[in-house]
Amino acid sequence: MSKICPSCQTEGQDNQLFCPNCGARMVAQQPPAWQPPKPNWQSPPAQQQTSGWQPPSAQQQAPDWQPPQNPYNPGVGNSLASRPSDLLKIVSIALLVIAVLNVIFGFVLLIGKFNVSATVSGMGLSESASGPIADIYDSGEFGGLHAINVIYGLVLLALGGFALYLWKEMSARSSKSLRLFRLFAIASIASVVVYLLLHLLLGSYSEEMYGITARVRVSPHFSVWIIFILNIATVVCNFLLLPKAKDQLAA
């Protein structure tokens, strides 16, 4: 540690006792007392100062919450096509109703205990009358009509059993339900169309007497028209609605 002269402030060596300048006694130089560092606080630049709360930047903003998507058909709403499971339930119930009606109307045509209307036309006149179908059979002019009623009655019973089996498969969500339903729809509409055409041919005849031609025509039973309307609805369902529920059927 160096020494300093208290009189002239001349610095000297550690081993010097007297100042070489003035001859005063040298004293050891004391180190300066420790001072704690002063914090260097600085105010932010003027351009960085903000007034009030500022929203976070676009990169820091969390994405907005999105509602869950419809797993079947998003954006369609609550329409029947957007809920295939509900559609299959409705079709299953409809098949059960069709099966019951086919069985009932099939027995009606087989037994032949119902009334029909017959229309007689000639010379610009037309008269209608109603009577048991058995009387039409006994007249001998409509023998073929009896045969096609019996045959179509058996067909309706078979279609009723088919509809019950298809109802069971569709309730179990079987993968072959769509194929069976298409077969049922085609068989049902084809059979009723063939029956109506045969009924048109075999359910009428003409008779001429004294130069006057009279034509007699027997109308089909009302149950046949109900079956016809149901079969059209079945075909529409097969080609327009059921394909949308294909994914709901088990593999």
Side-chain angles (χ1 to χ4, degrees):
M1 181 180 297
S2 62
K3 295 181 178 180
I4 189 170
C5 178
S7 297
C8 63
Q9 302 299 321
T10 300
E11 292 185 0
Q13 300 297 328
D14 295 342
N15 57 359
Q16 290 181 348
L17 297 178
F18 299 98
C19 177
N21 185 30
C22 64
R25 188 179 180 83
M26 301 287 287
V27 296
Q29 186 179 2
Q30 298 294 330
W34 179 84
Q35 298 291 334
K38 296 181 179 180
N40 188 14
W41 297 104
Q42 294 182 359
S43 60
Q47 59 272 17
Q48 296 182 356
Q49 295 181 356
T50 57
S51 58
W53 177 86
Q54 296 294 331
S57 59
Q59 293 81 0
Q60 298 177 354
Q61 290 182 356
D64 295 337
W65 179 83
Q66 298 293 334
Q69 297 288 338
N70 190 335
Y72 298 121
N73 195 3
V76 176
N78 292 327
S79 64
L80 188 61
S82 66
R83 297 173 299 181
S85 58
D86 293 343
L87 175 61
L88 291 177
K89 292 179 182 178
I90 295 175
V91 173
S92 299
I93 296 175
L95 279 173
L96 190 59
V97 174
I98 292 175
V100 173
L101 292 179
N102 280 344
V103 172
I104 293 175
F105 295 153
F107 276 116
V108 169
L109 291 178
L110 280 176
I111 297 173
K113 299 295 183 179
F114 57 90
N115 292 338
V116 293
S117 61
T119 302
V120 181
S121 59
M123 296 183 62
L125 300 177
S126 179
E127 294 184 2
S128 297
S130 179
I133 188 67
D135 294 344
I136 301 295
Y137 295 158
D138 295 339
S139 65
E141 301 294 341
F142 301 96
L145 185 61
H146 189 189
I148 65 172
N149 280 341
V150 171
I151 293 174
Y152 188 59
L154 294 175
V155 171
L156 287 180
L157 292 178
L159 290 175
F162 191 3
L164 285 175
Y165 174 73
L166 181 55
W167 167 77
K168 179 182 177 182
E169 291 295 319
M170 187 161 290
S171 299
R173 299 296 188 265
S174 173
S175 59
K176 59 183 179 181
S177 298
L178 292 181
R179 183 171 64 256
L180 292 176
F181 191 91
R182 177 167 298 181
L183 180 61
F184 173 77
I186 295 175
S188 298
I189 193 66
S191 62
V192 71
V193 169
V194 171
Y195 171 80
L196 290 174
L197 291 176
L198 292 176
H199 195 284
L200 181 63
L201 295 176
L202 301 177
S204 62
Y205 82 98
S206 299
E207 182 177 352
E208 185 175 352
M209 183 179 295
Y210 303 111
I212 300 174
T213 301
R215 185 176 182 85
V216 181
R217 182 173 61 87
V218 179
S219 300
H221 191 243
F222 74 91
S223 62
V224 178
W225 298 112
I226 296 177
I227 293 295
F228 180 72
I229 295 173
L230 291 177
N231 290 339
I232 291 179
T234 303
V235 172
V236 172
C237 180
N238 173 71
F239 289 101
L240 296 182
L241 296 181
L242 279 185
K244 299 179 180 180
K246 185 178 180 180
D247 296 337
Q248 297 293 311
L249 300 176

